[in-house]
């Protein structure tokens, strides 16, 4: 019995020793486990691919349409109005030399008749004075031969020189009066001085008008002008005759407005800058002219508020990027190969439309960041998601 107990104890000890040996072997053979922290996240940025090439600078502005010429219709004679054109109303349109109104001409016709009679009377008196002078000259010469004085010059009173001078002066005065009377008669008919429209009128048939009285306001339709205030920097991109360097015509322009629910566009051109700069804003008033503004329907009417785009210089290797791509005014973030973000200083030409025109500093095909990032550093790694070429 005792031997059996010792045998079981020995077997148990052997099993424990074998298990301990196996545990020691496993512990000695295992490799050291390294601690690995969580991976740092790579920021995702949105980019656009830069497209370089010729870029035309466009200078924009706004202004109000005004007529090239605006005058008041004022009679140069007085009298009762006998006729007014049916188009002599606010908004009426005329062509050059069309009759606007007529004034009663009877008094002026009588003045012409009287002046003509005076001229004929003065002509008759001058002829009579010449005949009398010729007779007295012959008598003087005949009397002079008897006294040996035939070669001497006759006295002025003998040949009636004062009388002749007076007769000639009276004839010239009467002719001037006739010309004046005819001119007054012509002025009883008022005609349109140029192609235009009536802005306002205050005359009608039967009304007595006086010399110098304003009857209507008339403006030309041959051309219209828009005064666009521009900052001085903008003028470096366009040509303003007489103001910026260079010769020839001013820069082309495009005038835009919505009239009667329709978007309308008219071609124009810069013609000059007005005489004085705005003292408060320091802006330069540039004048845009549009020919035949009433040649379209709807027309480019006087008083209309319009937008103007002026064609400027062309940058041979420019680029257009969104405003959101600029940092600090003249820095962009460029993503290079391998996802490395770099800071790049660029030369900004000007804002145009919804973007910025870059004059230099970017190469064709480069990826520029347009999304906003916090804590950006030069050389950091990012993952770029391209939105396509710039300017599209």
């Amino acid at each position: 019995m005792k031997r059996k107990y010792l045998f079981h104890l020995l077997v148990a000890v052997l099993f424990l020793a074998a298990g301990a040996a196996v545990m020691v072997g496993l512990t000695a053979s295992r490799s050291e486990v390294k601690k690995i922290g969580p991976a740092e996240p790579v920021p995702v940025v949105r980019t656009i691919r830069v497209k370089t090439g010729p870029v035309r600078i466009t200078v924009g502005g706004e202004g109000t349409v005004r007529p090239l010429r605006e005058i008041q219709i004022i009679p140069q004679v007085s009298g009762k109005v006998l006729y007014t054109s049916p188009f002599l109303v606010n908004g009426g349109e005329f062509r050059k030399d069309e009759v606007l109104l007529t004034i009663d001409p009877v008094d002026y016709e009588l003045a012409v008749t009287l002046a003509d009679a005076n001229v004929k009377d003065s002509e008759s008196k001058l002829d009579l004075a010449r005949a009398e002078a010729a007779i007295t000259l012959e008598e003087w010469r005949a009397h002079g031969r008897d006294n040996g004085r035939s070669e001497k010059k006759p006295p002025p009173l003998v040949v009636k020189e004062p009388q002749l001078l007076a007769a000639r002066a009276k004839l010239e005065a009467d002719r001037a009066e006739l010309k004046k009377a005819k001119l007054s008669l012509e002025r009883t008919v008022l005609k349109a001085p140029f192609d235009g429209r009536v802005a306002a009128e205050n005359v009608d048939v039967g009304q007595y008008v006086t010399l110098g009285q304003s009857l209507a306001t008339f403006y030309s339709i041959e051309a219209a002008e828009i005064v666009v205030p521009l900052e001085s920097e903008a003028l470096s991109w366009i040509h303003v005759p007489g103001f910026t360097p260079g010769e020839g015509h001013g820069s082309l322009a495009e005038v835009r407005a919505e009239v009667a629910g329709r978007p309308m566009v008219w071609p124009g051109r810069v013609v000059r800058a007005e005489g004085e700069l705005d003292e408060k804003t320091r802006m330069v008033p540039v004048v845009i002219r549009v020919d035949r503004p009433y040649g379209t329907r709807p027309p480019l009417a006087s008083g209309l508020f319009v937008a103007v785009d002026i064609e400027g210089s062309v940058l041979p290797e420019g680029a257009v990027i969104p405003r959101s791509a600029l940092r600090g005014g003249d820095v962009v973030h460029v993503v290079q190969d391998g996802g490395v973000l770099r800071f790049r200083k660029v030369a900004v030409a000007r804002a145009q439309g919804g973007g910025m025109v870059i004059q230099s500093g970017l190469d064709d095909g480069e990826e520029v960041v347009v999304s906003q990032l916090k804590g950006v550093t030069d050389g950091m790694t990012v993952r770029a998601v391209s939105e396509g070429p710039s300017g599209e």
Side-chain angles (χ1 to χ4, degrees):
M1 189 71 179
K2 188 176 180 181
R3 289 182 178 177
K4 186 177 181 180
Y5 174 78
L6 291 173
F7 176 75
H8 286 175
L9 181 60
L10 181 59
V11 172
V13 171
L14 290 175
F15 272 107
L16 289 172
V22 171
M23 286 297 295
V24 171
L26 290 174
T27 302
S29 63
R30 73 176 182 177
S31 59
E32 185 179 353
V33 178
K34 296 181 179 179
K35 295 181 180 181
I36 301 176
E40 294 184 3
V42 177
V44 178
V45 295
R46 292 182 296 108
T47 63
I48 52 100
R49 188 168 61 256
V50 174
K51 184 178 181 181
T52 61
V55 176
R56 181 177 291 279
I57 298 296
T58 301
V59 176
E62 296 175 328
T64 302
V65 179
R66 69 183 188 187
L68 177 62
R69 290 183 288 175
E70 185 173 26
I71 64 171
Q72 290 185 327
I73 302 299
I74 297 176
Q76 294 177 278
V77 295
S78 302
K80 185 172 70 175
V81 177
L82 296 183
Y83 165 82
T84 60
S85 168
F87 300 104
L88 187 59
V89 293
N90 195 344
E93 188 169 319
F94 286 90
R95 295 299 175 189
K96 184 179 180 180
D97 293 330
E98 284 189 26
V99 176
L100 301 175
L101 61 87
T102 58
I103 297 173
D104 190 351
V106 173
D107 291 342
Y108 302 99
E109 290 172 346
L110 293 175
V112 170
T113 301
L114 180 60
D116 186 56
N118 289 336
V119 168
K120 291 178 180 178
D121 181 61
S122 294
E123 289 175 343
S124 176
K125 289 180 178 179
L126 178 60
D127 290 341
L128 179 60
R130 285 171 176 167
E132 291 177 351
I135 292 173
T136 56
L137 178 61
E138 288 298 327
E139 291 178 351
W140 183 86
R141 286 176 178 172
H143 182 69
R145 280 196 295 268
D146 294 340
N147 298 326
R149 299 180 304 175
S150 59
E151 295 182 359
K152 290 184 178 181
K153 186 177 180 181
L157 290 177
V158 171
V159 293
K160 299 186 179 294
E161 285 187 6
Q163 293 86 338
L164 286 172
L165 289 174
R168 290 192 187 99
K170 182 64 167 60
L171 177 59
E172 292 298 322
D174 289 338
R175 284 175 175 172
E177 285 295 327
L178 176 59
K179 186 176 181 180
K180 181 180 178 181
K182 289 181 178 179
L183 186 59
S184 295
L185 180 60
E186 290 178 3
R187 288 170 174 172
T188 59
V189 179
L190 275 71
K191 298 181 179 181
F194 43 71
D195 293 351
R197 290 171 66 90
V198 179
E201 59 83 25
N202 57 349
V203 64
D204 209 341
V205 174
Q207 178 179 342
Y208 187 87
V209 297
T210 59
L211 180 70
Q213 177 183 348
S214 177
L215 306 182
T217 302
F218 196 75
Y219 64 86
S220 67
I221 59 173
E222 60 192 75
E225 293 185 341
I226 305 101
V227 179
V228 180
L230 297 177
E231 64 275 15
S232 180
E233 179 274 334
L235 269 63
S236 63
W237 300 104
I238 63 176
H239 177 46
V240 182
F243 196 91
T244 58
E247 302 293 334
H249 296 295
S251 300
L252 296 175
E254 188 177 82
V255 179
R256 295 178 289 103
E258 185 170 324
V259 187
R262 295 180 56 189
M264 300 292 294
V265 179
W266 296 269
R269 184 182 292 276
V270 176
V271 291
R272 68 182 186 280
E274 291 198 328
E276 295 183 356
L277 276 65
D278 191 299
E279 294 182 357
K280 296 181 179 179
T281 64
R282 300 301 178 187
M283 304 283 271
V284 181
V286 174
V287 181
I288 313 298
R289 182 173 297 176
V290 177
D291 293 327
R292 302 187 69 250
Y294 285 84
T296 60
R297 293 293 182 271
L300 181 64
S302 180
L304 186 66
F305 188 74
V306 296
V308 178
D309 290 328
I310 305 173
E311 290 187 7
S313 306
V314 176
L315 298 178
E317 291 295 330
V320 180
I321 63 174
R323 293 175 183 264
S324 59
L326 274 181
R327 325 288 172 176
D330 61 352
V331 174
V332 298
H333 295 164
V334 178
V335 179
Q336 297 180 338
D337 293 339
V340 179
L341 185 145
R342 294 295 184 187
F343 292 1
R344 180 80 59 79
K345 192 167 185 177
V346 295
V348 180
R350 63 181 284 108
Q352 185 164 301
M356 305 296 292
V357 179
I358 306 302
Q359 188 169 1
S360 62
L362 291 175
D363 295 328
D364 190 63
E366 286 191 306
E367 296 287 339
V368 173
V369 177
V370 294
S371 58
Q372 299 295 325
L373 288 175
K374 294 183 179 179
V376 182
T377 58
D378 190 17
M380 69 182 292
T381 301
V382 295
R383 183 163 64 88
V385 178
S386 179
E387 296 184 349
S390 63
E392 294 187 358

